[in-house]
Amino acid sequence: MNYKNLKWRKNMALKLDYNNMMAEYVGAEQGFTNDLFASNTKLVKNAFNTVKENRGKGMMGWTELPYNQNEIVEDIIATAKDIKKKFDNFVVLGIGGSALGPIAVFQALCHLRHNELPKKVRKAPKLYVEDNVDPERMNALLDVIDVEKTMFNVVTKSGSTSETMSQYLIIMDILKKKLGDKAKDHMIATTSMSKGNLIKIAKEENLKTFYIPDGVGGRFSELCPVGLLPAAVVGIDIKELLAGAKFMDKICMNPSVKKNPALLLALLQYESMKNGKNIGVMMPYADSLKYIADWYCQLWAESLGKAVDNEGNYVYAGQTPVKALGVTDQHSQVQLYREGPFDKVITILAVENFRSSVEISQGLPHIPDVNFLCGHTMNELINTEREATEYALTTANRPNHTIYLNEVNAFTIGQLLFMFEMQTAFAGAMLNIDTFNQPGVEGGKNATYALFGRKGYEKTKEEMDNSPKKNEKYFC
Ligand code: PA5
């Protein structure tokens, strides 16, 4: 309940350090001068106003999630309490926006070995998020869970995604064979209230159902029941998560770009893209934030990767997001980031205070080249290495910036998710594209439906049948 205290909230505010994006630090060729702000006043103002005018409307319903879910949150908390009492496992069946948020928040806010802890210590079911249709993975899951002690949560907004619906069919069949009429007590549906097949199925099967609001797209859905239910089941304080999002939303309502980190990040990335920086690396220095990078990659890629702008001109917009993990990737990718092409911007996520501390043991006073580590902590080591990477990148003229989290908790994670969502909305407005559609993803879904003979996709099937056949001569 710390988040109710204003002083604590201020202390937990995220901080953005963008020094190393500036020419003073990375040189005139790669860095920005103060002209960045002066020459973009109109762009920033228009982007800010576009987002402000559209918030809460159309596909920007997600901006209201920190405000309009009181009743739903109580239902989720009550449902989660019941699940905790009755079940050993909670399995999410979903993909894309229906999976990456739950995975990211679980990793960030639960014990890093949650599923391996003894039940008494865990005090919550194990969580599995099944976001693929690899048959080996499905069978591996079934090898380790007892379905009779498992609650499944099928999550799909469209209610027709092949991966999710095939998982649903497999699991429901197993449940019905084992449990008969009681199968329905092991499945919760999270889907659109107004469209799709899952809502019909949920009604037919009499499943407990949570709704994904119409104006909340998959990749913007972590803060609605898609993410809140799994989070509550594993013991995360979802009210604090939403309070963090609300706190960040207020900050993002500031039209002054230097005081609005989401608007500032959007501008930095937009201008970087214009300067040929087509790759955006997200590099958290904390295992807990590892999957925040995956979640961000989807948000940034699927929202900004667009062929046409709002006027229908071909623009082929976007920046390729890449995930890296500090310090692990210092021993692989950082070589490229420091010495490869000048086509990247690196976003570092830093944690000032870790939730635990490990001292590096004493023991080798006669070997000074190892002994220098002794008596320090791993906490000092990871953050020192982060500073060292920052230094190495900066001195090689590689633009980078750091987002600081005082600590990883539900409040700071709520802020981080919401800030990235707002950053994406602002960047999409700067690029003058539709940030919230995903024709490319839907193209892939439709091709699968066509190949599997789904009714209504005959034309796509015909087009696919008429496309050039693979030639033997190009196999090796
Ligand atoms: O962001 C998106 O819209 C997508 O990544 C979807 O989340 C993903 O394709 C799954 O869609 P659905 O929730 O309809 O199953």
Side-chain angles (χ1 to χ4, degrees):
M1 286 290 175
N2 276 334
Y3 68 90
K4 301 224 157 144
N5 176 318
L6 180 65
K7 202 168 149 211
W8 185 87
R9 285 205 300 271
K10 284 193 172 159
N11 196 26
M12 286 297 147
L14 301 189
K15 248 188 339 234
L16 167 63
D17 170 4
Y18 64 102
N19 277 277
N20 299 336
M21 297 296 288
M22 306 307 283
E24 281 159 272
Y25 300 90
V26 287
E29 218 172 291
Q30 302 300 325
F32 299 121
T33 61
N34 264 326
D35 187 50
L36 169 76
F37 301 108
S39 61
N40 282 310
T41 319
K42 203 167 154 215
L43 176 91
V44 167
K45 192 173 169 206
N46 286 346
F48 180 81
N49 286 338
T50 303
V51 171
K52 188 176 165 198
E53 279 156 25
N54 288 301
R55 57 173 299 142
K57 298 183 199 151
M59 287 312 289
M60 281 196 69
W62 54 270
T63 58
E64 304 316 296
L65 294 173
Y67 306 96
N68 64 8
Q69 296 191 99
N70 288 350
E71 244 177 74
I72 299 158
V73 163
E74 292 311 325
D75 188 3
I76 288 174
I77 290 172
T79 307
K81 200 171 160 196
D82 198 45
I83 293 169
K84 277 188 198 173
K85 260 194 263 153
K86 294 185 185 150
F87 298 97
D88 286 350
N89 310 298
F90 188 80
V91 178
V92 175
L93 309 174
I95 197 163
S98 301
L100 291 163
I103 294 170
V105 168
F106 174 53
Q107 175 84 4
L109 298 175
C110 284
H111 189 287
L112 288 172
R113 304 269 183 219
H114 176 91
N115 283 0
E116 292 155 54
L117 286 173
K119 199 174 169 183
K120 261 205 303 228
V121 183
R122 210 179 340 113
K123 293 191 185 101
K126 294 179 183 176
L127 177 72
Y128 299 92
V129 182
E130 296 303 298
D131 62 347
N132 204 351
V133 282
D134 180 332
E136 292 182 18
R137 178 159 161 189
M138 175 56 88
N139 278 330
L141 174 76
L142 294 170
D143 282 343
V144 298
I145 61 166
D146 175 354
V147 293
E148 294 186 41
K149 291 185 184 152
T150 302
M151 174 60 95
F152 295 88
N153 180 200
V154 55
V155 187
T156 163
K157 184 172 178 197
S158 63
S160 59
T161 302
S162 309
E163 296 87 344
T164 308
M165 293 316 291
S166 58
Q167 288 177 327
Y168 168 81
L169 288 165
I170 295 163
I171 297 295
M172 209 47 180
D173 182 49
I174 295 173
L175 287 172
K176 282 185 177 169
K177 281 181 181 144
K178 282 217 162 180
L179 303 164
D181 288 350
K182 292 212 158 55
K184 70 169 180 35
D185 302 332
H186 290 249
M187 182 71 74
I188 294 176
T190 305
T191 189
S192 164
M193 184 188 271
S194 54
K195 308 190 253 282
N197 304 309
L198 185 58
I199 186 65
K200 286 184 219 145
I201 299 168
K203 281 183 185 151
E204 264 173 42
E205 298 282 357
N206 201 13
L207 303 181
K208 166 86 183 158
T209 306
F210 287 100
Y211 299 109
I212 308 173
D214 283 346
V216 178
R219 56 196 176 276
F220 289 86
S221 69
E222 173 52 25
L223 297 172
C224 83
V226 169
L228 297 181
L229 177 62
V233 167
V234 289
I236 292 165
D237 185 342
I238 59 172
K239 289 187 180 173
E240 184 175 322
L241 194 68
L242 290 167
K246 183 171 161 186
F247 180 83
M248 178 53 71
D249 186 38
K250 303 277 183 230
I251 295 171
C252 295
M253 284 191 194
N254 194 329
S256 162
V257 66
K258 290 190 185 171
K259 294 196 175 136
N260 181 334
L263 191 55
L264 181 54
L265 281 165
L267 176 64
L268 293 169
Q269 294 288 15
Y270 172 82
E271 278 296 313
S272 299
M273 285 183 234
K274 267 179 47 186
N275 295 343
K277 308 251 176 297
N278 297 322
I279 299 172
V281 177
M282 179 58 66
M283 188 166 189
Y285 269 75
D287 269 58
S288 61
L289 303 179
K290 185 174 171 177
Y291 296 116
I292 294 282
D294 285 48
W295 171 85
Y296 170 84
C297 285
Q298 185 211 9
L299 181 72
W300 197 241
E302 205 172 331
S303 301
L304 302 190
K306 299 291 153 70
V308 292
D309 67 10
N310 288 326
E311 272 71 55
N313 306 306
Y314 280 90
V315 288
Y316 303 108
Q319 185 192 49
T320 305
V322 171
K323 56 180 176 170
L325 178 66
V327 304
T328 309
D329 283 306
Q330 281 179 211
H331 299 268
S332 66
Q333 298 182 32
V334 167
Q335 172 63 32
L336 172 74
Y337 300 166
R338 192 164 188 255
E339 296 193 5
F342 286 87
D343 56 0
K344 298 170 201 68
V345 180
I346 293 117
T347 305
I348 294 170
L349 300 183
V351 176
E352 288 172 293
N353 299 294
F354 284 81
R355 287 163 290 192
S356 56
S357 177
V358 176
E359 198 172 316
I360 302 167
S361 314
Q362 304 282 353
L364 293 170
H366 56 295
I367 308 182
D369 285 354
V370 176
N371 197 51
F372 76 98
L373 293 166
C374 303
H376 290 286
T377 58
M378 288 181 100
N379 311 49
E380 285 174 87
L381 187 58
I382 192 167
N383 275 335
T384 303
E385 291 201 35
R386 173 178 52 72
E387 283 169 30
T389 300
E390 221 190 274
Y391 171 77
L393 291 170
T394 306
T395 51
N397 308 117
R398 308 298 166 143
N400 64 89
H401 50 268
T402 301
I403 297 162
Y404 286 92
L405 283 78
N406 181 323
E407 62 181 50
V408 176
N409 57 42
F411 190 74
T412 54
I413 292 300
Q415 285 184 67
L416 192 65
L417 298 178
F418 205 82
M419 182 182 73
F420 285 143
E421 291 179 352
M422 290 303 283
Q423 170 194 327
T424 305
F426 287 132
M430 288 174 187
L431 290 162
N432 186 33
I433 52 156
D434 185 341
T435 313
F436 306 106
N437 67 0
Q438 52 283 320
V441 168
E442 277 149 24
K445 287 187 182 184
N446 294 342
T448 306
Y449 299 150
L451 289 173
F452 258 56
R454 182 172 162 189
K455 210 165 161 261
Y457 294 82
E458 296 78 5
K459 198 161 165 275
T460 313
K461 175 80 169 69
E462 201 184 310
E463 279 165 20
M464 292 176 85
D465 287 345
N466 291 331
S467 64
K469 298 281 159 294
K470 292 266 171 77
N471 195 319
E472 243 343 282
K473 75 178 178 191
Y474 295 129
F475 283 93
C476 171

